[in-house]
Amino acid sequence: MKVLIVGGGGREHAIAASMRKSSRLEKLYCVPGNAGIAQIAECEPSIGVMEFDKIAAYAKEKQVDLVFVAPDDPLVGGLADVLKEAGLRVFGPDKKAAILEGSKAFSKDLMKKYHIPTAAYETFDNPDAALAYLETAKMPIVLKADGLALGKGVLICNTLEEARAGVKEIMLDKHFGNAGNCMVVEEFMTGREVSVLAFVDGKTICPMTSAQDHKRAKDGDEGLNTGGMGNFSPSPFYTKEIDDFCRKHIYQATVDAMAAEGREFKGVIFFGLMLTEEGPKVLEYNARFGDPEAQVVLCRMKNDILDVVDACIDGTLDKIDLEFEDNAAVCVVLASDGYPVSYEKGFEITGLHNFDGKEDYYCFHAGSKFDAEGRVVTNGGRVLGITAKGATLHEARRKAYEATEWVDFSNKYMRHDIGKAIDEA
Ligand code: AMP
Ligand code: GLY
């Protein structure tokens, strides 16, 4: 098979690495890709993920058999629809299904209508009505911009003053652009967070092994929310009992609800879960692989990813027995100091060769490119996702942190407590 991956971060590098293991893969392309993906795929850095017509033309020119759309923006914007109209075979939900991630108001209403456990909420498209509601609401409270906001459109407010300022930020100052035209105000939940990603073919859902993200920028879960500073898989807190509950009341229920709404979902659903005292509840849905969830999950998957992708497209996922290795993986993100606010780019990355031939160690590139002299330089807030597998979570964590020392670049920044929660398990 000739395959084109759309995207250019650590997630796409992990997907590309997984496809490289398939005996069915003949040729791999990626737009725009990055310097790491370029080692295993032919990249076209001049094409951006929102340039739908250029992507379709490139896919046709290369005569690919499959286009795998990985990031949220193009999925929510309808890239899958455009590619399908051009006669291409596509992995990823179409626009009317990707709304599961694209609108928090939609996803909350869906959960309410189909009795899928989630936090209580109200939706507002008028700031005055939101402010009036907050006057008598219980604090802390959570404000969420309705649309896509790079994972940053969620404000946890401890006081009424903070909540008032939050409404201003989201709905009046439009800090997150049009994503803030509408806002969800949600009950604050406490508990452990777990991410579960699942392949979906419209009717059948196959959950993958669990993971736990670290969204805040600084050690001890301090600092701003980021795209994710590292994670581990599996989560020791995601027990068999919790899994049984989620399969019945959350995973299958979500797939059935989308089908009932005429929005059949095919692709990957990412369930952000909070394990509360009252049981698991949905924090959020994403319509795609997580980044860096893909890095710790796919390296442990035993199946040929192309078989699973085909089954999702063809509606034959019930024939697939999804299997994961009985081990663990940890990913530590090496970022540019200052991320997620402001940071410099263009610094040379050294030591990448240290990963050559090392089994169970992976250096996934998130933000890298070649400069004019052909050197690999930093090109983003998140730069590399240093990932290692081990027999246990402790071993995987030790190996991942060991490997963070193998590479270097100016302003290299990482959290030092990725996976600390496993000590409490
Ligand atoms: P989201 O993008 O919806 O996953 O939100 C980002 C982060 O905000 C989550 O990973 C949680 O840590 C936190 N969060 C979101 N909603 C809630 C909630 N209702 N209660 C407590 N924390 C929340
Ligand atoms: N790591 C969280 C996300 O991809 O949304």
Side-chain angles (χ1 to χ4, degrees), residues 76 91 93 116 150 168 217 241 263 294 300 322 336 345 417:
V76 170
F91 180 80
I116 297 166
L150 295 169
K168 184 167 179 296
E241 189 191 359
R263 297 174 183 275
R300 300 182 49 232
L322 210 55
S336 306
K345 302 192 271 194
D417 62 349

Side-chain angles (χ1 to χ4, degrees), residues 130-354:
L131 287 166
Y133 172 82
L134 288 169
E135 288 299 318
T136 56
K138 188 163 155 257
M139 299 295 148
I141 201 150
V142 185
L143 310 185
K144 299 185 172 184
D146 175 53
L148 291 182
L150 295 169
K152 292 164 199 152
V154 175
L155 305 177
I156 295 176
C157 306
N158 290 305
T159 63
L160 182 57
E161 274 65 51
E162 281 177 34
R164 286 188 188 129
V167 174
K168 184 167 179 296
E169 191 176 330
I170 293 174
M171 300 195 84
L172 296 169
D173 299 345
K174 292 281 163 82
H175 215 94
F176 309 104
N178 288 337
N181 289 348
C182 174
M183 187 180 77
V184 171
V185 178
E186 194 175 274
E187 166 204 8
F188 177 75
M189 300 189 285
T190 51
R192 263 183 212 285
E193 285 186 43
V194 182
S195 310
V196 174
L197 284 57
F199 288 104
V200 185
D201 74 354
K203 28 181 215 303
T204 302
I205 179 159
C206 286
M208 298 176 229
T209 179
S210 61
Q212 184 175 324
D213 201 2
H214 297 66
K215 286 207 167 85
R216 300 295 198 93
K218 300 200 171 132
D219 284 9
D221 288 327
E222 304 274 339
L224 294 172
N225 261 325
T226 69
M229 292 299 293
N231 58 5
F232 58 85
S233 171
S235 162
F237 308 103
Y238 187 79
T239 59
K240 171 86 175 62
E241 189 191 359
I242 292 172
D243 184 56
D244 287 343
F245 177 92
C246 292
R247 280 175 193 261
K248 190 161 160 208
H249 299 286
I250 297 179
Y251 307 152
Q252 191 63 51
T254 301
V255 174
D256 294 346
M258 289 297 280
E261 293 292 310
R263 297 174 183 275
E264 187 178 67
F265 193 104
K266 291 181 173 212
V268 168
I269 300 181
F270 171 134
F271 297 86
L273 304 171
M274 182 80 93
L275 308 182
T276 76
E277 277 186 352
E278 296 161 24
K281 295 189 184 182
V282 177
L283 274 171
E284 65 160 345
Y285 292 119
N286 295 317
R288 52 170 174 86
F289 269 103
D291 188 344
E293 282 76 5
Q295 289 84 319
V296 287
V297 166
L298 285 178
C299 68
R300 300 182 49 232
M301 190 169 86
K302 289 189 190 173
N303 305 66
D304 180 328
I305 189 172
L306 292 178
D307 291 344
V308 184
V309 162
D310 273 343
C312 289
I313 298 173
D314 297 335
T316 54
L317 207 49
D318 58 333
K319 307 276 188 315
I320 296 277
D321 189 10
L322 210 55
E323 286 188 295
F324 288 84
E325 293 168 1
D326 184 19
N327 56 13
V330 171
C331 172
V332 178
V333 169
L334 300 184
S336 306
D337 197 14
Y339 172 74
V341 182
S342 64
Y343 47 84
E344 291 176 71
K345 302 192 271 194
F347 298 114
E348 183 173 9
I349 305 173
T350 57
L352 291 168
H353 62 274
N354 289 316

